[in-house]
């Protein structure tokens, strides 16, 4: 079960002007409203948009699951370049005004927008992925213990390196991505203190393209590989594709993030170089929030996924990874110790 804490704060106001879906790169699907008159689930993508083979695509998978199971309408909207918090809020308000419920902002950048829209539409349930700062009674903060999956990725890296050098590439230098780095570095060091971890962030802000620039990811990975890194872990959204491409070109291992990147069609030509992926089940979080609204018992407050709930994990789709008995034993042991509390994973 997910751990849910309910935090109560008042919120009310009136709807603002709608934002035309066609102007936002939307993809809406037909269907009927539910028994309560709600159109259904709507999501607004983070930087990188749909097709990032990572974070946003996972959210879309949750939307598709809800659409298939509940048979109602859905909508998904793309971000626009250089948009403001007001633009984001208007996008969410438009969806709520049209009757979508729940409405989810995918990514911490939606924090101000979700708060504002939730106050305008107190009867609509809003969700935000990767932010735990909104204390409003009709908002679900969908967050994850990414550092735990990253720790297991560190174990895998330490067990797989032959050069005793591994790399971490973070998209943007922010606390969320620090969790990935901290868990990974701790997993490496706890497994083999002799292994060196090289770390690099692509940009200081998301606006500079840290989550949406495969070329930046490729350049960073190539630099680490030149310094002998033979396993490179990327927590960089769309930029991670460049890291995987560089790893494949140099015939070293890449570790994917958020989704099982070994299985992704767009990365198929690189899949033999993807050792594993540190996953967080954004799809399940999105679907579960939609189901809670459908069932008349909306999730609110902080809703956290971790190793214990199964909503963060390490993929085993690569047959070479799955067949390595020593590696699998080390990962299993680490996972059990994290769940029991024997291992405390750092988040910074």
């Amino acid at each position: 079960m997910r751990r849910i804490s309910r935090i109560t704060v008042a919120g009310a106001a009136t709807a603002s002007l709608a934002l035309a879906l066609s102007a936002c790169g939307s993809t809406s699907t037909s269907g009927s409203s539910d028994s309560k008159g709600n159109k259904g689930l709507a999501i607004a993508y983070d930087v990188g948009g749909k097709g990032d083979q990572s974070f946003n695509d996972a959210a879309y998978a949750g939307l598709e699951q809800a659409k298939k199971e509940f048979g109602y309408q859905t909508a998904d909207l793309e971000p626009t370049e250089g948009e403001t918090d007001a633009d984001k809020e208007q996008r969410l308000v438009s969806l709520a005004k049209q009757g979508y419920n729940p409405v989810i902002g995918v990514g911490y950048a939606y924090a101000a927008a979700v708060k504002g829209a939730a106050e305008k539409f107190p009867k609509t349930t809003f969700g935000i992925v990767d932010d735990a700062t909104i204390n409003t009674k009709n908002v679900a903060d969908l967050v994850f213990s990414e550092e735990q999956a990253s720790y297991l990725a560190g174990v895998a890296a330490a067990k797989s390196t032959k050069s005793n050098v591994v790399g971490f590439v973070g998209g943007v230098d922010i606390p969320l991505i620090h969790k990935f780095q901290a868990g990974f570095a701790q997993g490496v060091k706890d497994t083999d203190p002799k292994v060196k971890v090289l770390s690099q962030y692509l940009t200081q802000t998301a606006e500079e393209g840290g989550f949406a620039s495969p070329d930046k990811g490729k350049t960073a990975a190539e630099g680490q590989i030149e310094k002998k890194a033979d396993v490179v872990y990327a927590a960089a959204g769309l930029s991670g594709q460049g890291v995987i491409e560089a790893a494949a070109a140099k015939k070293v291992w890449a570790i994917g993030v958020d989704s099982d990147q070994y299985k992704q069609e767009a990365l198929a030509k690189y899949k033999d170089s993807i050792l594993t992926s540190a996953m967080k089940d954004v799809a399940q979080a999105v679907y579960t929030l939609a189901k809670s609204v459908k069932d008349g018992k909306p999730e609110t407050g902080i809703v956290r996924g971790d190793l214990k709930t199964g909503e963060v994990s390490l993929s085993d789709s690569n047959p070479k990874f799955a067949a390595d008995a020593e590696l699998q034993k080390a990962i299993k042991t680490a996972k059990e110790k994290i769940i029991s509390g024997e291992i405390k994973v750092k988040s910074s």
Side-chain angles (χ1 to χ4, degrees):
M1 296 293 291
R2 303 174 120 204
R3 298 192 295 279
I4 304 173
S5 60
R6 300 187 179 276
I7 309 168
T8 304
V9 172
T14 57
S16 64
L17 294 175
L19 182 66
L21 293 181
S22 60
C24 296
S26 69
T27 305
S28 55
T29 57
S30 61
S32 61
S33 299
D34 68 12
S35 61
K36 300 176 182 62
N38 298 325
K39 271 189 176 180
L41 168 64
I43 62 177
Y45 294 117
D46 197 6
V47 173
K50 187 162 69 173
D52 68 349
Q53 309 301 317
S54 183
F55 186 71
N56 290 300
D57 282 0
Y60 179 71
L63 177 140
E64 285 289 279
Q65 183 183 356
K67 172 190 168 186
K68 181 178 179 180
E69 183 167 327
F70 306 140
Y72 61 22
Q73 294 185 54
T74 58
D76 57 309
L77 302 184
E78 296 284 353
T80 57
E81 187 175 351
E83 67 185 15
T84 64
D85 286 342
D87 295 329
K88 291 183 175 69
E89 182 175 334
Q90 191 177 26
R91 180 178 301 125
L92 301 180
V93 163
S94 171
L95 291 167
K97 189 174 183 179
Q98 292 173 72
Y100 287 100
N101 188 16
V103 176
I104 301 175
V106 183
Y108 68 91
Y110 276 94
V114 167
K115 187 176 188 298
E119 290 173 350
K120 290 180 172 69
F121 287 85
K123 293 184 179 180
T124 299
T125 297
F126 290 82
I128 182 166
V129 180
D130 281 351
D131 183 88
T133 65
I134 305 174
N135 301 334
T136 302
K137 65 181 179 181
N138 58 325
V139 176
D141 297 333
L142 308 175
V143 294
F144 301 86
S145 296
E146 295 95 346
E147 69 277 7
Q148 294 182 350
S150 296
Y151 183 102
L152 300 184
V155 174
K159 285 287 187 180
S160 300
T161 181
K162 292 180 171 59
S163 66
N164 281 344
V165 181
V166 302
F168 171 83
V169 176
V172 181
D173 191 357
I174 53 173
L176 172 63
I177 306 303
H178 296 170
K179 293 168 67 178
F180 290 88
Q181 180 189 7
F184 179 70
Q186 185 181 347
V188 170
K189 293 302 181 184
D190 285 357
T191 304
D192 188 346
K194 297 189 301 294
V195 177
K196 182 179 181 180
V197 180
L198 305 176
S199 295
Q200 181 177 344
Y201 288 92
L202 301 180
T203 63
Q204 294 298 306
T205 67
E207 290 74 18
E208 296 171 280
F211 291 132
S213 304
D215 57 328
K216 293 182 189 295
K218 183 178 180 181
T219 299
E222 288 173 342
Q224 292 184 343
I225 293 166
E226 286 178 4
K227 295 176 181 177
K228 307 301 182 185
D230 60 358
V231 185
V232 185
Y233 174 39
L238 184 64
S239 300
Q241 291 189 31
V243 174
I244 292 169
E245 181 183 351
K250 299 296 183 179
K251 301 190 183 305
V252 302
W253 286 120
I255 295 178
V257 77
D258 292 340
S259 302
D260 186 351
Q261 298 198 294
Y262 182 90
K263 290 183 174 180
Q264 290 172 340
E265 188 174 338
L267 299 173
K269 62 183 177 180
Y270 307 126
K271 71 177 186 179
D272 289 342
S273 296
I274 302 174
L275 179 67
T276 181
S277 296
M279 301 187 296
K280 61 180 183 184
D281 204 340
V282 174
Q284 184 62 37
V286 167
Y287 165 80
T288 301
L289 179 57
K291 186 176 188 302
S292 75
V293 173
K294 178 84 170 172
D295 292 344
K297 298 178 181 179
E299 290 181 328
T300 59
I302 295 174
V303 186
R304 183 176 298 279
D306 56 18
L307 282 179
K308 188 173 183 179
T309 68
E311 290 174 76
V312 302
S313 60
L314 210 58
S315 67
D316 60 0
S317 298
N318 188 321
K320 290 183 179 179
F321 175 78
D324 189 328
E326 181 182 348
L327 175 54
Q328 293 302 320
K329 181 180 179 181
I331 290 169
K332 181 182 178 182
T333 299
K335 179 180 177 180
E336 290 172 349
K337 288 182 177 181
I338 292 170
I339 291 173
S340 72
E342 183 177 344
I343 292 177
K344 305 289 186 184
V345 185
K346 298 175 183 178
S347 58
S348 63

